[in-house]
Amino acid sequence: ASPSTGAHVPVPSPAHRLPACLVGSCRVDPDPSTLNVHLVPHTHDDVGWLKTADQYYLGLNSTIQRACVRHILNSVVAALIADPERTFVYVEIAFFSTWWREQDGETQAAVRRLVDAGQLSFANGGWVMHDEAAAHFTGMVDQTALGHAWLLEHLGAVPTAAWQLDPFGHSAAQASLLGASAGFDALYFGRIDQRDLELRRASRRCEGVWTASPSLGPGASVFWGLTGSYGGNYGAPHGFCLDGQCDGGDEPVVDDPIYGGAYNVNSRVADFVEQVMIQSNETVGNNIMLTMGSDFQYENALENFYNLDTLIRTVRKFQSSGDIPPASLGRFQKLNVFYSDPTVYTKAKNDENITYEVKTDDFFPYSDCHHCYWTGYFTSRPGLKRFERVATSFLRAARQIDALLPASLSSSPSPLRALEEAAAVVQHHDGVSGTSKQHVAYDYALRLSTGMAEAATHVARLLGERLGFTGDAPPLEMCKLLNESICEASQGATVGGAGTDLYVVVYNALSTVRREYVSFPVSEDATYEITDVHTGETVEAVLMPSSGRLGPASANLTLHVDAGSVPPLGTVVLRVVVAGATSSVVRASSSVANGAAGGGDALKKTLGVSQQWGYYTSYKHKGDAVADAALDHKKSHQNSGAYIFRPSVPDAEMVPLQPHGEESYHTDMLTEVRTKFSTWVSQVERTWSGRPDEVEVEFTVGPVPDEDGQGREAIVRYIAEIASNSTFYTDSNGRDFIERVRNFRPTWDLERTEPVAANYYPVTSAIYVEDDAASLAVLTDRAQGGTSLSDGTIELMVQRRTKADDARGVGEPID
């Protein structure tokens, strides 16, 4: 049954109509007694995972993985030109645009002809295939728009189907905002929870209509379907992986008896008919799609297409000669096998005029066995997740400022392009998800850093021009290491007591006025005078010792300033002057030694909320998890790793960390409570006078200890007197909130094999609990995993260190 209404509706009418007869579209037989088998050749090319994006494109580092995207595209284009009946669908424009730049005019013209003829098509069409748990909707939209703009400019192509084959669960925002609202007629993907998949296959519900957004309503509905012959992935049907990189060595069709013992046409056709009938009996209608491809396949596309050509030709021959037994076709009388693409398939499904069940929730969390919940990656690599959020936020502000650029200051290519491409690449489902190898994570971070440096120089120049910082004035600088109490500009301007004038520009990228406080490191304990340059008024400020763990370049002091109300898309400029040598630093008003600290004092006093820090011990099997998995279909020895979160025992209790040191600083503008919970966890609680209903919690976690050889999943828990009735709410990529109910799934009965891990959900921006009298919300500054394991509580996983690989491909622990 549907999770909300049980209603059934037809497939939304495609917004995009096909030309009279593209390849594939004229081969669809509308007769309901004919089973149309759409063969969709494709490759899935990760923009970074085991190798960096450049290594994948160039074919480098083959000791890790054999893959060369350049060869794939060269080979596919040649194979399509050789036979006008063939089709191919491509996705990752980050790779395709790189390949395109290397081609001469003749090849580019040939590619345009392939696109115009419908032989080469693009699904999704984003720069990458983005993640759906850790990505914010702004990053998802940006990377999709970047790819679509490139396709429209160079090929006049407009993708009409979303193609999210590999992400590890699927979000409501993807269906509504990045599906229907992005102009897609359908959304196809491979991975859903193994129990959900079993039930859908048994009840013929592997396709449907998804109305995912309460705010956008039925107008944002999209047709959805599973790929990979409904096997939980996106490859060819069982026995028909015909690429040279396929594991298992599936046999191609050999249809010439001259080859004696290799001649297998009868058995292979029978195998194929069996597979397509299995798939057809797991959905409704007379059209099914076979995704003929997988990771980095078609490097020798002539091999693939030769095998597919032979398969199509042989099935057609058997069909016309009556050599396919009628009994093997079940409710159908005929097979119609042909090359196709997602757009053709979507139109065929629409033309069937069948009503489908409506789905209104999402496909999180994903599990592929009883003890294998892919909820660890919601938090994996939190530093990269934070860097991505900072970079995409800065990009949004930089674009706004750039839009005000006088024509005389414009340049081409845009100084923001490097950051746009870097931010787009890291949206990849092995990027911001935190599921790549370590050296690839470094590459993602380097791309972001390089792009931000170029964009910051450009933005500083623009703001300097607008605000009058010209001539001999030093250029504006962006402080990128404020979390380490490092800012060369502010530290340099305040060194030596007298110092020089420091100007701080505060920009509001929102469309509404915001009350803002800013903090930056300074070098001297002195008296500071801060004025608003626009109004001339004195601005309130507080000087405190810097918090956190300080390195040799960190400043010991931080100046906290009330910037006041910052206008929408506007600035406040503050002038900071060292006015005297008199000490103004605020001293701790109270200090509690080891054993007496309570922790969470500001939370208690301001919100009536208590707090606990702690960790779960990660499951690590003593033997070989991969070998054990082959023997145990429930994978009871599944390790916790980059993708999967699994505590040492299913119903694990948090190992608490007790506060053992606390300092408090109180002023009229700002109160800080600094608490140490261990040698590796500390936090600062801040309450600002202008935000009476909020507490800002800044924490430092790590290095996570591992002396005992055990991994740890660090968590923070907030506890309030709220009767939440097993219910909590998490955001969907920063858009609508989704209701979650502990130990419950809307569409199947949840087996409680992992009662902790199975209740974790992606928290991209916020999580809350409520009752009729009160509510508690936590807003995060990066994507994290979160849950509510008991009424009135919110739990967030903030850091992970695992000591074993979870056998899902990356081949490394998060260590």
Side-chain angles (χ1 to χ4, degrees):
S2 168
S4 59
T5 65
H8 288 68
V9 300
V11 179
S13 297
H16 309 88
R17 293 300 176 183
L18 296 172
C21 195
L22 283 178
V23 174
S25 62
C26 290
R27 295 194 177 277
V28 179
D29 187 343
D31 186 342
S33 68
T34 298
L35 176 60
N36 294 296
V37 182
H38 299 246
L39 301 186
V40 178
H42 77 101
T43 179
H44 174 64
D45 296 344
D46 291 304
V47 187
W49 179 38
L50 307 183
K51 307 198 294 187
T52 68
D54 289 344
Q55 289 172 340
Y56 272 132
Y57 180 76
L58 298 169
L60 305 177
N61 213 350
S62 294
T63 57
I64 292 178
Q65 183 182 17
R66 177 190 163 187
C68 180
V69 175
R70 174 191 277 157
H71 292 344
I72 292 171
L73 292 171
N74 285 337
S75 184
V76 165
V77 168
L80 294 179
I81 292 172
D83 187 339
E85 291 296 305
R86 296 167 175 167
T87 63
F88 194 82
V89 61
Y90 199 72
V91 175
E92 295 85 5
I93 306 306
F95 285 141
F96 195 87
S97 62
T98 300
W99 177 84
W100 178 265
R101 288 196 298 268
E102 298 176 349
Q103 308 311 306
D104 58 24
E106 182 178 350
T107 302
Q108 291 181 353
V111 170
R112 291 191 180 98
R113 289 191 293 270
L114 294 174
V115 173
D116 291 342
Q119 285 188 261
L120 177 62
S121 63
F122 296 89
N124 247 11
W127 210 245
V128 299
M129 185 182 292
H130 56 233
D131 185 57
E132 297 184 39
H136 193 272
F137 80 89
T138 55
M140 297 161 75
V141 169
D142 280 353
Q143 78 85 20
T144 302
L146 191 66
H148 284 204
W150 190 95
L151 285 172
L152 191 62
E153 177 184 354
H154 293 89
L155 296 172
V158 178
T160 64
W163 193 252
Q164 288 290 105
L165 304 187
D166 196 25
F168 328 121
H170 305 282
S171 72
Q174 172 64 41
S176 58
L177 185 65
L178 276 300
S181 298
F184 291 128
D185 299 324
L187 167 59
Y188 298 105
F189 47 85
R191 301 181 189 269
I192 65 173
D193 185 276
Q194 48 96 22
R195 180 58 179 154
D196 192 13
L197 179 61
E198 290 173 3
L199 294 177
R200 289 185 179 280
R201 296 182 74 173
S203 57
R204 301 178 66 191
R205 295 184 298 122
C206 291
E207 297 174 308
V209 173
W210 196 352
T211 304
S213 171
S215 58
L216 297 177
S221 298
V222 68
F223 176 71
W224 69 269
L226 296 179
T227 57
S229 295
Y230 314 149
N233 218 293
Y234 46 88
H238 177 71
F240 287 89
C241 183
L242 303 177
D243 187 271
Q245 294 206 51
C246 294
D247 295 330
D250 295 341
E251 289 188 354
V253 177
V254 180
D255 61 346
D256 192 334
I258 194 174
Y259 294 108
Y263 180 69
N264 62 4
V265 66
N266 292 321
S267 62
R268 293 306 281 148
V269 169
D271 292 342
F272 183 76
V273 171
E274 179 184 7
Q275 291 302 313
V276 298
M277 292 312 301
I278 290 173
Q279 184 171 342
S280 70
N281 289 327
E282 294 173 350
T283 189
V284 293
N286 67 316
N287 288 272
I288 61 172
M289 177 171 63
L290 275 56
T291 43
M292 306 302 294
S294 192
D295 293 6
F296 298 99
Q297 293 190 359
Y298 289 79
E299 194 168 313
N300 181 5
L302 291 174
E303 174 189 16
N304 299 69
F305 280 112
Y306 180 86
N307 291 330
L308 291 174
D309 291 346
T310 305
L311 177 63
I312 293 172
R313 181 179 66 248
T314 305
V315 172
R316 288 176 180 172
K317 180 180 177 181
F318 273 52
Q319 180 73 65
S320 62
S321 63
D323 290 331
I324 298 178
S328 68
L329 297 181
R331 68 184 188 275
F332 299 105
Q333 298 176 12
K334 178 182 176 183
L335 284 185
N336 181 28
V337 184
F338 54 95
Y339 286 119
S340 186
D341 64 46
T343 298
V344 171
Y345 180 72
T346 302
K347 174 150 188 326
K349 297 302 291 187
N350 177 261
D351 290 345
E352 289 173 344
N353 198 28
I354 292 173
T355 58
Y356 287 90
E357 178 185 78
V358 178
K359 182 175 180 62
T360 57
D361 59 332
D362 62 8
F363 288 98
F364 283 118
Y366 166 58
S367 74
D368 60 359
C369 81
H370 291 70
H371 296 277
C372 313
Y373 285 90
W374 295 45
T375 54
Y377 83 96
F378 300 159
T379 297
S380 294
R381 302 196 188 282
L384 181 61
K385 284 177 164 64
R386 174 59 180 163
F387 197 3
E388 177 275 333
R389 188 67 58 84
V390 169
T392 54
S393 297
F394 180 70
L395 175 59
R396 183 166 63 253
R399 283 173 171 159
Q400 295 170 357
I401 295 168
D402 186 66
L404 303 174
L405 171 71
S408 61
L409 297 179
S410 62
S411 60
S412 182
S414 169
L416 304 183
R417 183 69 184 193
L419 180 55
E420 289 176 335
E421 293 190 8
V425 165
V426 82
Q427 304 305 319
H428 171 60
H429 58 271
D430 286 305
V432 68
S433 61
T435 55
S436 70
K437 283 188 177 292
Q438 182 64 62
H439 76 104
V440 180
Y442 288 148
D443 182 70
Y444 287 133
L446 178 61
R447 290 169 181 266
L448 290 175
S449 180
T450 302
M452 284 190 69
E454 293 183 17
T457 299
H458 176 61
V459 168
R461 183 171 65 101
L462 296 182
L463 287 174
E465 291 283 343
R466 287 187 58 198
L467 300 173
F469 295 110
T470 57
D472 296 332
L476 293 173
E477 298 178 24
M478 180 181 179
C479 296
K480 301 175 185 177
L481 298 175
L482 290 176
N483 62 319
E484 298 181 38
S485 298
I486 298 173
C487 177
E488 292 184 7
S490 61
Q491 289 171 260
T494 57
V495 72
T500 58
D501 288 2
L502 172 69
Y503 290 89
V504 179
V505 180
V506 184
Y507 178 76
N508 176 14
L510 301 182
S511 59
T512 58
V513 175
R514 63 186 286 178
R515 175 71 181 275
E516 194 56 75
Y517 297 88
V518 295
S519 304
F520 47 89
V522 293
S523 297
E524 299 293 337
D525 179 6
T527 302
Y528 290 88
E529 182 180 286
I530 300 96
T531 55
D532 184 320
V533 171
H534 298 314
T535 66
E537 296 179 354
T538 300
V539 174
E540 185 178 7
V542 172
L543 183 66
M544 286 186 179
S546 297
S547 59
R549 299 173 202 172
L550 307 180
S554 301
N556 292 320
L557 299 169
T558 295
L559 193 62
H560 303 278
V561 181
D562 182 355
S565 296
V566 187
L569 306 184
T571 59
V572 166
V573 181
L574 305 173
R575 178 173 177 261
V576 181
V577 177
V578 179
T582 303
S583 172
S584 64
V585 67
V586 176
R587 308 296 177 183
S589 57
S590 63
S591 181
V592 181
N594 293 357
D601 280 2
L603 288 160
K604 292 175 187 174
K605 294 176 181 178
T606 306
L607 304 178
V609 173
S610 59
Q611 181 197 46
Q612 294 175 337
W613 276 92
Y615 63 88
Y616 297 110
T617 301
S618 308
Y619 186 95
K620 178 188 175 185
H621 181 53
K622 295 180 181 179
D624 184 338
V626 177
D628 287 329
L631 299 174
D632 182 355
H633 76 283
K634 292 187 177 181
K635 295 188 178 177
S636 59
H637 299 307
Q638 171 65 55
N639 287 326
S640 192
Y643 302 89
I644 292 170
F645 163 45
R646 188 184 183 196
S648 56
V649 294
D651 55 351
E653 295 290 336
M654 176 188 74
V655 179
L657 296 174
Q658 300 299 332
H660 63 266
E662 186 175 278
E663 290 183 338
S664 298
Y665 298 82
H666 297 282
T667 71
D668 291 340
M669 185 186 85
L670 167 66
T671 295
E672 283 195 357
V673 180
R674 304 176 182 183
T675 309
K676 290 185 178 180
F677 290 86
S678 74
T679 57
W680 57 281
V681 175
S682 60
Q683 79 170 16
V684 179
E685 301 162 82
R686 293 191 184 96
T687 54
W688 303 91
S689 59
R691 298 172 181 168
D693 298 323
E694 301 175 14
V695 177
E696 180 182 307
V697 179
E698 179 183 286
F699 54 83
T700 303
V701 177
V704 179
D706 67 340
E707 293 84 359
D708 56 1
Q710 297 293 324
R712 287 171 171 79
E713 327 268 353
I715 65 168
V716 60
R717 185 179 292 165
Y718 301 95
I719 306 158
E721 294 293 329
I722 293 176
S724 51
N725 193 29
S726 299
T727 303
F728 59 104
Y729 300 83
T730 63
D731 70 299
S732 180
N733 306 112
R735 296 283 292 181
D736 293 304
F737 280 92
I738 307 292
E739 180 182 273
R740 313 296 190 185
V741 179
R742 191 164 55 252
N743 298 321
F744 175 77
R745 296 293 188 269
T747 51
W748 74 93
D749 292 331
L750 178 66
E751 297 180 48
R752 297 186 61 190
T753 55
E754 292 289 337
V756 176
N759 281 300
Y760 261 75
Y761 291 87
V763 178
T764 314
S765 297
I767 179 173
Y768 72 90
V769 293
E770 66 178 2
D771 60 18
D772 292 338
S775 64
L776 171 66
V778 179
L779 279 64
T780 64
D781 67 352
R782 72 201 74 191
Q784 296 173 338
T787 186
S788 177
L789 295 179
S790 59
D791 284 0
T793 68
I794 290 175
E795 178 175 307
L796 291 162
M797 185 182 296
V798 300
Q799 179 60 288
R800 315 182 67 221
R801 185 175 190 175
T802 68
K803 303 303 292 182
D805 176 54
D806 55 15
R808 291 306 184 277
V810 74
E812 292 179 356
I814 297 291
D815 189 12

